[in-house]
Amino acid sequence: MAATHLLSFSASLSKAQNYHLNHNRFTQNPTLSLKRTARPCLLRAVLSQNTGKTSTQDPKTTKFQHCFSKSEDGYLYCEGLKVQEVMESVERRPFYLYSKPQITRNIEAYKSALEGLRSIIGYAIKANNNLKILEHLRSLGCGAVLVSGNELRLALQAGFDPTRCIFNGNGKILEDLVLAAQEGVFVNIDSEFDLENIVAAARIAGKRVNVLLRINPDVDPQVHPYVATGNKNSKFGIRNEKLQWFLDAVKEHPNELKLVGAHCHLGSTITKVDIFRDAAVIMVNYMDQIRAQGFEVNYLNIGGGLGIDYYHSDAVLPTPRDLIDTVRELVLSRDLNLIIEPGRSLIANTCCLVNRVTGVKTNGSKNFIVIDGSMAELIRPSLYDAYQHIELVSPAPENAEVATFDVVGPVCESADFLGKERVLPTPAKGTGLVVHDAGAYCMSMASTYNLKMRPPEYWVDDDGTVAKIRHGETFEDHLRLFEGL
């Protein structure tokens, strides 16, 4: 899988094959001495050192920019600010570092792509549930896509307009549906029992609920099976041959349910936008059938799932405009409101997990870079063998040998790895190392396994300063869960 990224190291590979680590070399490098500052950290971006990364490009004609870049001096920058300087100014532990301007750029790319359409950009909160990020997305005009009652409560706390929120899920519980009904949230019908629960919630709330039918279009998104949601074996959505049953059931509950549209979601990390068009063709045909029975359905929700360049291979991947343009004429031909549910493509490339090298070791046949971060902070590689690009934040010494490493953490599991078979300069103890594209499904899936406390989060703000946007959890936080028991 990593072959794309090893090309630049081809000259060193033959040397690396027989490389044996010299442990004495690593013990000679002292641990970094870090200073701390009060929040917010007053680090300012030196914009002239940020080579080629600006926020002035036209989102209509450019693909997603990347806020992290290596400059000619060998240091990694985020929006013109040295990541090394951030490391020296915050808590000495793994942390997530975001670019607020990159979040804005990603949203603007979707907004530009949707010009000329009536639409809702529903940010998928499950991708990243940081409250400060949610508040920023809401300020940019996003709605929210929810898959639990607590995500709904968080969206309300962040100030989202509930009438621009969509409640998904194959197992929504009654109390959460009551809240959704009270607030006027769109709710997707996912099953027979889901419909029964929505009807019950509508009666309890005394509100008629705007519902969409989540139809399984049985389209193969050509992605990892764990993130495929729109094929016939998925637990999500109703079988298309059951459509008439659901239409009849909705007709039986005119005081509780108002059918306003149809929904599908194919999966995640999709890199072929024709797949979205294939699904949209199927869905508008279903909507024609639904309209023919007297329903005024005006919303088509095509889900999200647009992939990103996790490999940093400069691959030309579809942009939001490419995605929207594949369905634009279909949407206009039926005079529909389009709902899109991006998560990963809005937030993944805005963030890195920043770690420090604890040491380097070999077991004779394999070399390891051991870092302070782990599968507890970032589980995607361990969970479904996901690839995320890894690099050092500072230039390696000229005499540093290049070798092939597994990048692993300290958690007591053989599955605790952030990357395998990565060709890197041998780092000194204390060197910074980042896992890229960590904004989506990383912090939101973090755990306290091995009592590794969930890390703090920071972002580089629009003015070039660094601010904490989430406190890191502490051992005392853990003990408080048992107070009074």
Side-chain angles (χ1 to χ4, degrees):
M1 291 173 60
T4 309
H5 295 283
L6 304 186
L7 297 178
S8 61
F9 295 104
S10 58
S12 304
L13 287 178
S14 59
K15 181 178 180 180
Q17 297 301 318
N18 298 316
Y19 174 65
H20 297 286
L21 296 178
N22 179 346
H23 292 282
N24 294 333
R25 182 170 67 253
F26 306 113
T27 59
Q28 295 171 359
N29 293 283
T31 301
L32 293 176
S33 176
L34 303 179
K35 61 182 179 180
R36 300 193 178 188
T37 62
R39 292 187 301 116
C41 307
L42 297 178
L43 299 178
R44 292 193 176 274
V46 183
L47 295 177
S48 62
Q49 293 179 327
N50 187 8
T51 57
K53 301 293 178 183
T54 72
S55 58
T56 59
Q57 295 183 0
D58 184 354
K60 297 180 181 179
T61 58
T62 59
K63 64 180 181 179
F64 282 154
Q65 297 172 257
H66 208 288
C67 50
F68 290 91
S69 60
K70 271 285 179 71
S71 190
E72 293 180 357
D73 61 6
Y75 284 91
L76 183 68
Y77 286 80
C78 177
E79 302 293 349
L81 179 64
K82 276 186 181 179
V83 175
Q84 180 70 43
E85 292 184 8
V86 180
M87 292 178 64
E88 293 169 356
S89 303
V90 301
E91 300 173 59
R92 186 179 174 80
R93 58 190 290 189
F95 63 94
Y96 281 97
L97 178 65
Y98 298 81
S99 159
K100 186 179 180 182
Q102 182 70 46
I103 298 172
T104 302
R105 289 193 290 265
N106 290 351
I107 285 289
E108 291 302 321
Y110 269 101
K111 290 170 72 173
S112 174
L114 287 162
E115 288 177 357
L117 297 176
R118 299 192 307 275
S119 63
I120 296 175
I121 301 173
Y123 167 69
I125 288 181
K126 65 190 176 81
N128 188 306
N129 56 32
N130 183 290
L131 179 60
K132 307 305 289 185
I133 291 174
L134 295 182
E135 290 173 343
H136 181 53
L137 291 171
R138 182 262 304 155
S139 74
L140 295 171
C142 280
V145 173
L146 325 159
V147 292
S148 74
N150 281 339
E151 287 190 355
L152 171 53
R153 294 175 184 92
L154 188 62
L156 296 174
Q157 178 69 34
F160 283 92
D161 178 353
T163 66
R164 293 173 59 81
C165 293
I166 304 95
F167 193 8
N168 293 340
N170 69 306
K172 301 182 285 292
I173 63 174
L174 182 60
E175 64 184 78
D176 296 339
L177 287 168
V178 171
L179 178 60
Q182 290 170 339
E183 296 292 338
V185 171
F186 289 105
V187 179
N188 281 326
I189 298 175
D190 190 88
S191 65
E192 293 87 343
F193 70 78
D194 199 35
L195 185 147
E196 293 174 2
N197 285 337
I198 297 167
V199 169
R203 290 171 177 168
I204 294 170
K207 297 283 187 70
R208 193 182 187 199
V209 180
N210 289 326
V211 295
L212 295 87
L213 287 174
R214 178 165 181 170
I215 301 173
N216 188 327
D218 194 17
V219 172
D220 180 8
Q222 302 177 36
V223 297
H224 191 287
Y226 285 9
V227 293
T229 58
N231 55 42
K232 65 182 180 180
N233 295 319
S234 173
K235 71 177 184 177
F236 299 102
I238 67 174
R239 303 194 311 275
N240 49 33
E241 62 265 27
K242 290 276 289 184
L243 175 60
Q244 189 59 54
W245 185 94
F246 281 92
L247 294 178
D248 292 339
V250 171
K251 291 175 185 177
E252 293 174 4
H253 300 285
N255 297 324
E256 293 85 11
L257 306 177
K258 181 181 180 182
L259 182 60
V260 298
H263 171 273
C264 71
H265 195 292
L266 304 179
S268 194
T269 68
I270 298 171
T271 57
K272 298 177 180 178
V273 292
D274 286 349
I275 293 171
F276 288 98
R277 179 175 176 81
D278 292 344
V281 168
I282 294 171
M283 294 301 294
V284 295
N285 286 332
Y286 286 136
M287 294 192 74
D288 289 344
Q289 296 176 35
I290 296 169
R291 282 176 167 176
Q293 297 194 32
F295 291 99
E296 295 182 4
V297 286
N298 299 308
Y299 289 89
L300 173 62
N301 186 334
I302 62 169
L306 190 65
I308 68 165
D309 183 14
Y310 278 113
Y311 284 86
H312 287 209
S313 61
D314 291 325
V316 180
L317 295 180
T319 65
R321 180 166 294 277
D322 295 327
L323 189 164
I324 300 304
D325 283 350
T326 63
V327 302
R328 179 181 300 276
E329 293 307 317
L330 284 168
V331 172
L332 291 173
S333 71
R334 303 309 199 277
D335 192 26
L336 295 170
N337 298 278
L338 180 65
I339 300 175
I340 186 80
E341 301 182 347
R344 183 188 317 274
S345 56
L346 284 184
I347 198 70
N349 72 344
T350 71
C351 176
C352 281
L353 176 66
V354 184
N355 312 270
R356 288 178 176 81
V357 173
T358 302
V360 182
K361 63 179 291 186
T362 182
N363 63 8
S365 60
K366 184 178 283 288
N367 303 322
F368 300 92
I369 297 173
V370 184
I371 60 175
D372 53 358
S374 70
M375 65 183 291
E377 290 85 5
L378 196 158
I379 198 174
R380 291 185 71 253
S382 299
L383 182 63
Y384 33 70
D385 200 30
Y387 182 98
Q388 291 182 234
H389 187 56
I390 291 173
E391 65 179 324
L392 305 180
V393 306
S394 56
E398 290 185 3
N399 63 349
E401 297 190 62
V402 173
T404 301
F405 296 94
D406 284 4
V407 179
V408 301
V411 163
C412 192
E413 293 284 346
S414 295
D416 179 26
F417 64 91
L418 283 301
K420 291 185 175 181
E421 301 294 316
R422 305 303 177 88
V423 176
L424 293 164
T426 303
K429 183 185 295 186
T431 298
L433 177 149
V434 299
V435 181
H436 278 287
D437 304 307
Y441 305 103
C442 292
M443 183 59 177
S444 65
M445 299 174 77
S447 74
T448 57
Y449 186 47
N450 283 196
L451 278 185
K452 286 185 102 275
M453 298 294 105
R454 278 180 280 255
E457 295 178 290
Y458 301 84
W459 68 15
V460 178
D461 212 330
D462 294 325
D463 63 358
T465 61
V466 175
K468 180 180 280 189
I469 57 172
R470 176 171 173 151
H471 295 294
E473 294 180 359
T474 66
F475 180 67
E476 290 69 30
D477 292 329
H478 180 72
L479 292 182
R480 274 191 285 272
L481 299 174
F482 305 95
E483 289 179 357
L485 301 180

